[in-house]
Amino acid sequence: MTYCIGLRLNKGLVFMSDTRTNAGVDNVSVFKKMHSWIVPGERVITMMTAGNLATTQAIISTLDERSKAPQDRKPSILEAPSMFQVARLVGETVREEIHGTVLEGQEADSAFNATLILGGQIKGSPPRLFLIYPEGNFIEASDETPFFQIGETKYGRPILVRAYDPDMSFEDAVKLMLVSFDSTIKANLSVGLPLDLQVYENDAFRIKEEQRIPADDPYFNQISAGWGDALREAFRSLPDFHF
């Protein structure tokens, strides 16, 4: 399984993904699920993937091939005039890849699915964040829905809903996302470290921060222990129940 978060702030965009893939408890691997395409000073596009690994890798490879030589950029996310058009191109690629996968003469949409978070900025327009479904259609983040999750979403959602603030700093956003990931990792063995983190600041047209958070990262372990202690203390402080 997978867990990825894309967060839209007033300052920019923050992305975080795990790297664990598994086909059973005895077949666990590490694969990168966050990918970026950058034209310095002109556009930054970031994508995170969840679903069948072969399908998501095929989608990324197709987009990569179309972004290399100029004669191959038809269609290319590096030539799309807006993030909306990038989302349409990516959605079409997802749909083509899934429906082009055939198993025993039968289309296997459920087995070969893929869900994506796509975000970034193209010069001349503001940063935008999209959630792309296996069918190829998509929705955009808004003030009412300022973040997207894909993969194993349910365990880490409550803290995001309660603590998110569009005016929060990048540092607080990363802390919030780490708490969300810690809750998910504690509850589901199919999500695990290391985590990939990327921060994009409005109108920078370059990645502000990018790093991998390993399993032995001191700050993550401090957050994990501190969040557990804080939850236990909050529980003890609640009024007692009486029969």
Side-chain angles (χ1 to χ4, degrees):
M1 199 57 180
T2 297
Y3 185 39
C4 304
I5 307 172
L7 202 66
R8 193 188 78 169
L9 304 175
N10 289 338
K11 298 176 182 295
L13 303 171
V14 188
F15 305 91
M16 188 176 288
S17 68
D18 84 319
T19 55
R20 177 170 292 181
T21 64
N22 69 293
V25 295
D26 59 347
N27 187 11
V28 178
S29 303
V30 173
F31 282 93
K32 188 175 180 66
K33 304 171 187 176
M34 184 186 299
H35 309 270
S36 296
W37 294 264
I38 303 169
V39 179
E42 197 268 330
R43 70 182 62 202
V44 172
I45 300 168
T46 296
M47 185 185 307
M48 297 184 292
T49 63
N52 177 268
L53 182 61
T55 302
T56 58
Q57 286 191 341
I59 292 167
I60 296 300
S61 295
T62 299
L63 294 171
D64 271 338
E65 285 298 314
R66 292 174 179 172
S67 66
K68 289 181 179 177
Q71 62 269 24
D72 297 330
R73 295 181 180 179
K74 300 297 179 185
S76 170
I77 59 176
L78 295 186
E79 290 189 343
S82 68
M83 283 302 301
F84 177 82
Q85 292 298 328
V86 171
R88 288 191 64 180
L89 287 175
V90 173
E92 290 170 4
T93 305
V94 171
R95 185 168 56 250
E96 290 168 4
E97 184 60 38
I98 291 176
H99 286 278
T101 302
V102 178
L103 181 64
E104 303 270 331
Q106 177 182 356
E107 290 191 7
D109 296 59
S110 60
F112 295 94
N113 66 350
T115 306
L116 313 177
I117 293 176
L118 172 72
Q121 184 178 20
I122 295 175
K123 194 169 185 178
S125 59
R128 302 174 76 173
L129 185 68
F130 299 90
L131 175 63
I132 302 177
Y133 296 104
E135 296 78 11
N137 56 340
F138 55 87
I139 60 174
E140 183 175 1
S142 63
D143 292 341
E144 293 75 23
T145 307
F147 61 84
F148 290 131
Q149 304 164 274
I150 55 176
E152 193 60 70
T153 62
K154 54 185 176 292
Y155 303 108
R157 184 173 181 79
I159 182 63
L160 296 176
V161 172
R162 288 178 178 269
Y164 167 84
D165 183 343
D167 290 320
M168 68 197 319
S169 66
F170 286 129
E171 292 80 4
D172 282 347
V174 172
K175 179 166 64 174
L176 173 62
M177 294 165 89
L178 287 175
V179 171
S180 179
F181 268 86
D182 179 65
S183 300
T184 304
I185 291 169
K186 288 286 195 298
N188 194 309
L189 291 174
S190 67
V191 177
L193 285 87
L195 308 178
D196 286 328
L197 165 68
Q198 187 184 111
V199 176
Y200 175 76
E201 188 172 15
N202 292 348
D203 302 321
F205 301 105
R206 61 178 179 82
I207 294 173
K208 178 180 175 65
E209 298 288 345
E210 187 171 29
Q211 67 181 74
R212 174 161 286 192
I213 301 169
D216 60 352
D217 183 78
Y219 181 70
F220 178 82
N221 290 324
Q222 184 180 0
I223 287 292
S224 179
W227 180 240
D229 292 341
L231 284 176
R232 285 187 288 271
E233 183 59 34
F235 176 77
R236 285 192 291 266
S237 69
L238 293 173
D240 292 334
F241 174 80
H242 298 285
F243 286 104

